[in-house]
Each structure stands twice: as C-alpha cells, then as structure tokens.
Amino acid sequence: MKCAVNVVDLFYTYPDGTEALKGVNFKVMEGERVAVIGSNGSGKSTLFYHLNGLFSPTKGTVLINEEEITKANLDKIRMTVGLVFQDPDDQLFAPTVWEDVAFGPRNMGLSKREVAERVNSALNMLHIADLKDKRPDNLSGGQKRLVSIAGVLAMNPEIIVLDEPTSNLDPCTSSAVMHLLVDLSRRMNIALIIATHDVDAVPQYADRIYVMHEGRFVAEGTPEAVFSNASVIRESHLRLPRIARLMEILHKEDNLPLKNPYPLTIRGARNEIMRVIKDKDERVKEK
C-alpha cells in the first residue's frame, strides 16, 4: 500500500512568533480514512495548510505520494490534494455556484465537456444542482459548505483534506455527506483526512485517529484504542463520545462489571450490557 501523506518532524512558526506546530509526524496510507481531533488552536488547520502547499514548513518535510512538496510541483500537488477550508467563504469567489465548482477542473486544462461533466456530477452527488445559478454569497452557511466540498470533488483528487466538513450542516445532511465521502473513499481508493470536533461521528468513519494538543500529536491509533485512553482525551480539552461516557459512568460510578467500558457505538454498548445481564443470569442459575 502506497503512503499518500508523510509529514516528518514538521515545525511551523507564524510571523508573530506563535509556534503552531512543534515536531509533528503524521502518516496516511492510500485509501485510508484518518480523523484529526483537537481543541481550537491545537494546530489542526495549520497542519492541513501544509498538505497542499499553502504553507511552507519552518522546519521539516511534507511528502505527497512520496514526493516532497516544493515550489516546482505545487500545481501537481494541488491536483492531487483537494482541501476544503474550515470557512467556506475563504474558498468561494466566483459569480455563480457552477462557475465556482468549475474553477478547479478548468485550471487542470480539461475540455469544456469534461469540465461540465465533472461539475454536474459533483453538484448531483451533493444534491445541490438546483443551486448552480445562484451567487455563493446569497447561500446559507450549510449550502456554502456543500458547494466548497463539490469544488474539491470535481477535481477528482487522490487525497481529500477536510477541515470541519460538517459544520453548519443539519444532522441529516451531515450524516449524508460523511456517508458519501466514505463511499467515495472506498470505491475510488481516496485517502480522507478530516479535522473535526464531532467525536461522536469519528468512530463511524475513521480507520485511525490522531489527537492534537498544543501543536503536537499526543495520541494515535484506532478509535477504540484512542478513546479508551480517557485521561489523554480530557487533558487535550476534548470529551469522550457520549456512548463511551455513559458506559464509563455505569462502570465506574454504578459498578457495572464491563469488560469494555468504552464502546463507541450503540450496538457495542448494547452487546456489552447484554453480556453483563447474561453473566448475572447464569450466576443466579448456578445458585
């Protein structure tokens, strides 16, 4: 399996002297789905701006498909890595939605026909084709978010980097967008890298999680491994997924004998509770 993103010992200091990244090491494989979680100001957005060359490291190396990002290959990198900004107003600038989504494909040198096919496909995938003639600045925050995602999808990138992709979206639309992105990742072997505060959704799509705190990664692993380390989660100014927190309370405060006190899904919590009930019933029968 090819390494899609490899960040090695990355440091970044803003012009005002703020040290945003302090020796970050980060790796994502081809087709992998990775979540980066952390509180505001932890460095997530700064890291993401390095992944398609918007920022250059103060120190360290960023490799995309095993090729280091340089000024000479920026155009190639930006066709490979699609970045969805945290604030869609930073991404939308054309007079209409259709023109905005077409901007990337046009700059790839595609024919008018292929540009049109890609734009229409992206708009249809996100169910926003009815917005194609509207001005982006007249859209709601959620609609702007969907248009910014459509602009990235239209470029058919190998790697999609999304900074808080479901902010301003209602729960149903948020779930639908994440299902779409995961399905695309699986079908087209696209690496997904997502920064989010939505710890409840992370276990539904992420193969691995990185926890960022004060410019460093303080934990990395599967969702089960990361969220079972509750102290690190809390020290990073985050919270456990609600299901895991409920089970933790039942285990620690109500003395429920759980083998896995941090299940991350409703089914996992149900299975663990049913196991406790079954064990109790068997003990009663033995007596």
Side-chain angles (χ1 to χ4, degrees), residues 159-276:
I159 302 161
I160 301 179
V161 180
L162 305 107
D163 198 351
E164 298 291 346
T166 58
S167 62
N168 296 321
L169 298 181
D170 62 77
C172 287
T173 303
S174 174
S175 178
V177 167
M178 290 310 304
H179 276 100
L180 168 67
L181 291 169
V182 169
D183 181 60
L184 282 172
S185 170
R186 287 173 175 158
R187 286 192 294 108
M188 303 176 68
N189 209 30
I190 294 170
L192 287 183
I193 306 170
I194 301 174
T196 183
H197 292 102
D198 189 356
V199 294
D200 296 295
V202 165
Q204 308 299 323
Y205 65 81
D207 301 315
R208 287 190 300 122
I209 299 173
Y210 283 83
V211 181
M212 182 167 264
H213 183 56
E214 296 182 348
R216 296 183 175 91
F217 284 129
V218 294
E220 178 268 327
T222 65
E224 292 78 13
V226 168
F227 285 122
S228 66
N229 193 342
S231 60
V232 169
I233 295 296
R234 293 183 173 117
E235 287 165 6
S236 302
H237 303 155
L238 297 168
R239 66 168 176 83
L240 292 171
R242 288 184 175 88
I243 291 173
R245 175 56 179 148
L246 170 62
M247 298 297 279
E248 180 186 54
I249 291 171
L250 291 173
H251 181 61
K252 292 186 175 181
E253 298 181 18
D254 299 321
N255 299 315
L256 199 69
L258 302 175
K259 291 182 179 178
N260 173 19
Y262 297 103
L264 300 177
T265 63
I266 292 174
R267 182 177 295 276
R270 176 185 180 275
N271 290 344
E272 186 65 14
I273 290 172
M274 293 304 294
R275 184 196 59 77
V276 171

Side-chain angles (χ1 to χ4, degrees), residues 67-189:
E67 181 178 351
E68 184 175 356
I69 298 177
T70 66
K71 290 182 179 180
N73 64 9
L74 273 181
D75 288 343
K76 176 184 176 182
I77 293 297
R78 288 172 182 169
M79 286 190 286
T80 303
V81 181
L83 173 61
V84 178
F85 290 84
Q86 185 173 17
D87 185 350
D89 286 327
D90 293 338
Q91 198 157 348
L92 306 178
F93 53 86
T96 68
V97 165
W98 201 97
E99 293 291 327
D100 220 308
V101 177
F103 178 81
R106 280 177 175 159
N107 279 275
M108 295 170 67
L110 302 176
S111 68
K112 288 184 178 180
R113 178 179 177 179
E114 184 155 4
V115 169
E117 288 176 350
R118 289 196 182 197
V119 172
N120 292 329
S121 174
L123 294 174
N124 287 328
M125 277 193 287
L126 293 167
H127 305 291
I128 54 173
D130 59 318
L131 303 179
K132 65 185 177 69
D133 296 321
K134 293 186 178 295
R135 291 180 57 85
D137 52 4
N138 290 336
L139 302 179
S140 69
Q143 289 171 328
K144 289 179 180 178
R145 169 68 59 194
L146 293 174
V147 172
S148 66
I149 294 173
V152 167
L153 294 181
M155 296 180 69
N156 289 351
E158 297 175 36
I159 302 161
I160 301 179
V161 180
L162 305 107
D163 198 351
E164 298 291 346
T166 58
S167 62
N168 296 321
L169 298 181
D170 62 77
C172 287
T173 303
S174 174
S175 178
V177 167
M178 290 310 304
H179 276 100
L180 168 67
L181 291 169
V182 169
D183 181 60
L184 282 172
S185 170
R186 287 173 175 158
R187 286 192 294 108
M188 303 176 68
N189 209 30

